[in-house]
Amino acid sequence: MLKTIPEVIAHARQSLNTITAADAAIKCKLENGIIIDVREPAEFAERAGDNTINIPRGLLEMKMLQMYPDENLAIFIHCATGARATFAAEQLTRVGYKNVWVVTCMLDDICCVF
């Protein structure tokens, strides 16, 4: 049986840490974490939150392992809707990162906080 993307995301989030943008901003500062925007570079160039790092979802695992080899680093992942962020967080968890969070807010909420 095929599943819709919202169904897949809902299922994936059951095993992931989720957080609002406001809480992520606080937790990120407290834990010296990073905020990764997994949208495409053109999307990021149009609008992005301050202090966010753009690493597109398709390059995420390779770039993260090179740039941030600390498995305990607090990583907050976001995109425009939360879908790509969920899939990205799932992948980072799969490669061994232990402190990964999906920011569940829409892009407008993120840009207001970060």
Side-chain angles (χ1 to χ4, degrees), residues 69-112:
D70 179 1
E71 68 184 26
N72 295 308
L73 176 67
I75 303 167
F76 300 88
I77 309 276
H78 85 85
C79 63
T81 65
R84 287 177 279 185
T86 298
F87 294 134
E90 203 173 35
Q91 284 302 103
L92 289 182
T93 302
R94 215 174 271 148
V95 298
Y97 288 98
K98 298 180 181 344
N99 194 4
V100 180
W101 296 82
V102 178
V103 179
T104 58
C105 302
M106 301 298 277
L107 182 61
D108 287 342
D109 297 328
I110 292 163
C111 287
C112 291

Side-chain angles (χ1 to χ4, degrees), residues 44-75:
F44 184 79
E46 282 182 31
R47 186 162 189 216
D50 293 339
N51 303 315
T52 60
I53 302 162
N54 181 229
I55 305 175
R57 184 175 161 234
L59 302 174
L60 187 64
E61 299 89 342
M62 293 174 287
K63 292 244 184 197
M64 287 295 294
L65 290 168
Q66 291 172 358
M67 296 169 63
Y68 303 102
D70 179 1
E71 68 184 26
N72 295 308
L73 176 67
I75 303 167

Side-chain angles (χ1 to χ4, degrees), residues 5-52:
I5 295 301
E7 289 172 330
V8 172
I9 290 168
H11 183 263
R13 283 191 181 169
Q14 291 175 3
S15 62
L16 296 170
N17 298 315
T18 59
I19 193 167
T20 66
D23 289 342
I26 294 166
K27 189 171 181 65
C28 185
K29 285 179 185 172
L30 288 174
E31 296 188 23
N32 294 315
I34 58 172
I35 304 159
I36 304 292
D37 183 328
V38 293
R39 296 176 301 141
E40 294 301 313
E43 294 173 283
F44 184 79
E46 282 182 31
R47 186 162 189 216
D50 293 339
N51 303 315
T52 60

